[in-house]
Amino acid sequence: MYAEERHRTIVNLALRYDRVSVADLATRFDVTTETIRRDLDALDRRGILRRVHGGAVVAENVALVETAITDREPTFVAQKTRIAQAALNYLPQPGSTVLFDSGTSVARLAAAVPPGTLGTVVTNSVPVAAQLAAGNAGTQVHLLGGRVRGITQATVGGETVAALGRLRCDVAFIGTNGVTIRHGFSTPDPDEAAVKEAMVATARRVIVLADSSKVGVELLVTFAPLSAVDVLITDDGISTHDRAELTAAGIEVVVA
């Protein structure tokens, strides 16, 4: 078992039983206790688990609850609208391929795109695909296959990830549930994270749309380090300190 797979299993066990022990994990995975200690130390550095004597527990600052897209849509409406307008400046030239992730901020961008602007669109968002297909007669819209998660109305799973692995897109607009310096861009669900990770890998340029409430938040699964993202578009609620840290990390931070 690869280290990342082992890490995910360890986190799931910690969530289920509140605590994991070095000895039990070493037996379970048939590895040395030193290997498990390194695993737990790595998860502690990422802010997911907190090391305690003989094992680890779930870190208090790790957010684990995911809300439905219908519940998130009415929140931070003004900020998301400004973010979407700012993101229009990052649309590529006509004829390019644009990748749209799921999420409310990305959906607002899709709604704001002027008709005839986009050539080819790829998305895993059912609402975004329906909206763009209906309002842009000259645009080819490709909805990625896979299992549809009701909570996000997005396709996920191995089929979705495999399809992305065969593509090369010019620009990807990605949503996130959290972003911090040490944990990168993160989301609560492993399946959503796998798709987002594949989207980042397939795009020549990656633009993340996130209102300022997401900055400083760490969710369970990292899908991209800071170095993998070119631009973060957020709102003026971001603190001067956070903006400076993210800029120093090499990301262009656009405040809408």
Side-chain angles (χ1 to χ4, degrees):
M1 178 181 287
Y2 292 109
E4 188 61 32
E5 295 178 34
R6 193 167 60 244
H7 289 181
R8 290 180 182 177
T9 303
I10 290 171
V11 172
N12 287 333
L13 289 170
L15 290 170
R16 182 175 181 181
Y17 298 110
D18 297 326
R19 177 191 173 104
V20 289
S21 76
V22 171
D24 289 345
L25 291 173
T27 300
R28 182 186 187 93
F29 296 115
D30 193 24
V31 296
T32 65
T33 54
E34 288 74 16
T35 296
I36 295 301
R37 289 192 181 94
R38 286 195 294 270
D39 289 339
L40 297 183
D41 287 341
L43 291 167
D44 183 279
R45 287 193 299 272
R46 291 168 61 186
I48 298 172
L49 298 184
R50 180 170 57 85
R51 290 285 270 120
V52 295
H53 180 69
V57 296
V58 177
E60 294 177 359
N61 65 328
V62 173
L64 302 172
V65 178
E66 185 176 18
T67 55
I69 193 169
T70 50
D71 294 329
R72 284 183 278 132
E73 175 59 32
T75 62
F76 297 95
V77 172
Q79 293 90 334
K80 292 175 182 178
T81 300
R82 294 200 305 270
I83 289 169
Q85 289 298 315
L88 291 174
N89 296 322
Y90 291 86
L91 290 174
Q93 295 297 317
S96 302
T97 301
V98 182
L99 180 59
F100 285 95
D101 185 22
S102 60
T104 55
S105 294
V106 176
R108 284 188 177 274
L109 168 60
V113 172
T117 302
L118 302 176
T120 301
V121 169
V122 178
T123 184
N124 71 324
S125 169
V126 176
V128 167
Q131 183 176 60
L132 290 176
N136 293 270
T139 301
Q140 295 184 26
V141 180
H142 299 268
L143 177 62
L144 294 164
R147 174 177 62 87
V148 178
R149 290 189 74 222
I151 194 170
T152 58
Q153 299 177 32
T155 57
V156 298
E159 182 181 348
T160 315
V161 172
L164 285 163
R166 296 189 292 269
L167 302 178
R168 188 62 168 157
C169 299
D170 294 297
V171 178
F173 292 97
I174 310 290
T176 188
N177 298 82
V179 54
T180 64
I181 293 295
R182 71 173 182 177
H183 195 46
F185 295 88
S186 58
T187 195
D189 182 76
D191 288 336
E192 293 275 358
V195 172
K196 290 176 185 290
E197 183 176 2
M199 287 182 167
V200 170
T202 198
R204 293 185 175 89
R205 187 164 172 77
V206 179
I207 317 293
V208 171
L209 311 184
D211 66 74
S212 59
S213 70
K214 312 293 176 53
V215 180
V217 176
E218 295 180 346
L219 281 297
L220 183 60
V221 188
T222 297
F223 65 85
L226 297 179
S227 59
V229 172
D230 298 291
V231 182
L232 169 66
I233 304 180
T234 186
D235 61 75
D236 57 9
I238 186 173
S239 71
T240 303
H241 173 75
D242 286 335
R243 182 178 184 181
E245 276 200 329
L246 291 167
T247 301
I251 300 178
E252 178 186 351
V253 179
V254 176
V255 177

